[in-house]
Amino acid sequence: MSSIVDVNNINMTFYTLEGELNVLKDLSFSLEEGKILALLGPSGSGKSTMLNILSGLLKPTSGEIDIKGKIGYMFQRDNLLEWRTIMNNITIGLEIQNKLNNEAMKKIEHLLRIYDLWDFRNNYPRELSGGMRQRVALIRTLSVDPDILLLDEPFSALDYQTRLLVSDDIYKIIQNEKKTTILVTHDISEAISMADSVAVLSRRPANIKAIHDINLTVKDEKTPLTARKAPEFKDYFDTLWKELDVNEKE
């Protein structure tokens, strides 16, 4: 299967009053259509910077990126507008693009129904739980019909139990909608349980130390929760832990 994302020798340097800050160094990876890639690295390693480059919010200092499709970006915070209803929060991207038509509304209504948010469409964000807000944020991202999803630590603001449940919800939505996804995280278990492959970033200036294909033996349908029970899970965790620990000590 051909790649939908190709990243080749990306370098990123920021210029500050204190001097040059090298964030990314010769970073390269590719991603096949329909797959989930986790970018795993310590805090401050440039993971979010890479997503901002992929989305076009930042221009790299050097290197090439080839993206075959439209990007949808889900940020770390849900960024829901508290004065707009859930429905109006979801439609805001289409409104800005002047693409809010009957066909788009039918798709949004379908997503709200199948992902158990229809009854809350006229509520306001403050009336929803953190997990429900994240589902709304993802449906808002899906409403513009992207080919590739960029998820920037989407569960980090949630407590541990909620993030496990919400990661299951988000994973199922990604699989049902057949979206190619790049997930940024510093949580090893999250990366293993959600991704088809995990790219380990070094400390800053970040490059990719290794990419691991994740193959787990799961009896029933794979979800982030069932994946954590796979016999191979601990071995992957130990391997990635050691790589990250080495990175921190270099």
Side-chain angles (χ1 to χ4, degrees):
M1 188 178 293
S2 61
S3 298
I4 190 170
V5 176
D6 284 294
V7 174
N8 296 300
N9 301 116
I10 291 297
N11 291 276
M12 187 69 200
T13 300
F14 291 102
Y15 298 92
T16 68
L17 293 175
E18 289 76 27
E20 294 184 357
L21 178 63
N22 297 317
V23 178
L24 303 175
K25 181 180 179 182
D26 296 328
L27 196 149
S28 300
F29 64 86
S30 61
L31 181 59
E32 292 182 357
E33 187 174 1
K35 298 294 186 180
I36 301 175
L37 170 69
L39 298 180
L40 177 69
S43 296
S45 61
K47 303 182 298 296
S48 295
T49 298
M50 187 65 244
L51 288 196
N52 287 335
I53 291 172
L54 287 167
S55 68
L57 293 176
L58 288 175
K59 183 178 180 180
T61 305
S62 64
E64 296 181 351
I65 294 177
D66 182 20
I67 298 175
K68 302 177 180 70
K70 185 166 62 173
I71 292 283
Y73 200 161
M74 182 174 166
F75 295 92
Q76 189 170 357
R77 298 185 179 276
D78 58 57
N79 292 322
L80 299 180
L81 302 177
E82 298 294 340
W83 61 89
R84 291 177 70 107
T85 64
I86 298 309
M87 178 65 82
N88 289 338
N89 263 284
I90 291 172
T91 59
I92 191 169
L94 291 164
E95 290 174 24
I96 292 170
Q97 298 177 22
N98 198 27
K99 293 181 179 179
L100 186 58
N101 51 38
N102 289 336
E103 183 179 351
M105 282 301 300
K106 286 180 181 178
K107 178 178 179 178
I108 291 170
E109 291 173 3
H110 173 70
L111 290 171
L112 286 169
R113 289 181 188 278
I114 64 174
Y115 298 123
D116 299 323
L117 287 167
W118 176 253
D119 291 341
F120 301 91
R121 66 193 183 280
N122 295 320
N123 288 63
Y124 290 88
R126 63 180 176 275
E127 300 174 295
L128 272 59
S129 67
M132 293 174 72
R133 290 175 66 115
Q134 288 302 94
R135 271 189 282 155
V136 171
L138 181 56
I139 291 174
R140 179 184 59 195
T141 305
L142 292 172
S143 70
V144 296
D145 200 24
D147 303 291
I148 303 154
L149 288 176
L150 306 180
L151 306 183
D152 189 1
E153 301 200 48
F155 318 120
S156 62
L158 306 173
D159 63 78
Y160 182 73
Q161 183 177 12
T162 302
R163 70 186 293 167
L164 288 178
L165 296 173
V166 173
S167 66
D168 254 36
D169 289 340
I170 299 300
Y171 180 84
K172 289 174 183 176
I173 294 172
I174 290 170
Q175 294 298 311
N176 288 343
E177 302 302 318
K178 298 178 172 61
K179 297 299 181 182
T180 306
T181 302
I182 298 176
L183 166 71
V184 154
T185 183
H186 62 267
D187 186 315
I188 298 173
S189 295
E190 191 171 276
I192 299 168
S193 63
M194 289 198 69
D196 298 297
S197 57
V198 178
V200 181
L201 274 65
S202 70
R203 64 178 185 173
R204 195 172 64 221
N207 60 18
I208 291 181
K209 306 288 286 187
I211 297 179
H212 299 271
D213 292 329
I214 305 298
N215 296 295
L216 300 173
T217 304
V218 179
K219 290 182 180 179
D220 301 312
E221 178 187 4
K222 183 194 171 185
T223 70
L225 281 176
T226 60
R228 292 168 188 252
K229 300 175 184 177
E232 303 89 351
F233 188 90
K234 183 179 182 299
D235 292 333
Y236 282 118
F237 188 98
D238 290 344
T239 297
L240 295 172
W241 174 270
K242 289 174 183 176
E243 287 188 354
L244 287 176
D245 191 47
V246 168
N247 291 337
E248 291 287 358
K249 292 178 180 177
E250 285 179 348

